[in-house]
Amino acid sequence: MIKKIVIGILLLGFITIIGLLVFMANFEIFDEPTRTELKAECDYESLRKVKMTEMTGNATAKKSIHIYATDCNYDENKKPEPIFVASAGFIKPKDVSFEWKNFDTLTIRYNKKLQIFKQKTESESVNPKIIFEYIVD
């Protein structure tokens, strides 16, 4: 009787360890989020560049979409200026878009159901400045 109980406990422990390893390998709980560039576009005179990226989520963070502004001749040593950050559990790349309205203005459209973390009205580090106009769909 005791022999059957010990074998049962060992078998249950072995199945639990295998299940945990499969779970961790498939769900990437502890991995760092990855960044995917969705769109990058310079202005009409190729002075300023706006880039939209998607960050994957993990166990503690939801998927998010970021929009950055830089100079068109982007230098890796200079950090891009974050302009707009939105997140939601269901966010898709089509939920956020941007287009140049004119030389000084960039129009950013986004889904009204998104949670907005950052929404600047004009750029600070990019010269000449960019004015941001937001349209909620």
Side-chain angles (χ1 to χ4, degrees):
M1 177 75 169
I2 294 177
K3 193 174 185 181
K4 287 183 181 180
I5 292 173
V6 171
I7 291 173
I9 290 173
L10 289 174
L11 187 61
L12 186 61
F14 183 69
I15 291 171
T16 302
I17 290 171
I18 289 174
L20 183 61
L21 292 174
V22 168
F23 181 76
M24 288 177 62
N26 288 331
F27 292 104
E28 302 172 359
I29 293 175
F30 304 111
D31 287 352
E32 288 292 318
T34 57
R35 184 180 306 244
T36 306
E37 186 172 314
L38 300 173
K39 181 180 177 183
E41 201 173 284
C42 286
D43 65 5
Y44 303 115
E45 295 185 9
S46 296
L47 297 174
R48 301 155 300 177
K49 180 190 235 177
V50 176
K51 180 170 63 170
M52 184 167 72
T53 62
E54 177 183 50
M55 292 282 286
T56 59
N58 60 16
T60 59
K62 294 179 183 176
K63 199 172 181 185
S64 60
I65 292 182
H66 301 247
I67 297 179
Y68 300 96
T70 62
D71 295 328
C72 233
N73 301 331
Y74 178 63
D75 179 13
E76 291 293 329
N77 298 327
K78 186 178 177 185
K79 287 184 101 176
E81 178 182 351
I83 301 303
F84 179 81
V85 179
S87 179
F90 58 85
I91 196 166
K92 296 179 208 78
K94 67 177 184 171
D95 289 333
V96 179
S97 65
F98 69 86
E99 65 180 337
W100 289 96
K101 182 175 182 180
N102 56 40
F103 179 73
D104 291 331
T105 308
L106 183 80
T107 302
I108 299 173
R109 292 180 177 273
Y110 64 92
N111 187 324
K112 65 183 174 186
K113 295 179 181 178
L114 298 179
Q115 183 179 9
I116 309 302
F117 292 104
K118 181 173 280 203
Q119 189 173 356
K120 287 191 173 180
T121 56
E122 68 178 32
S123 63
E124 297 168 359
S125 65
V126 179
N127 196 10
K129 289 187 183 270
I130 306 170
I131 298 169
F132 303 105
E133 173 184 270
Y134 296 95
I135 298 175
V136 181
D137 291 334

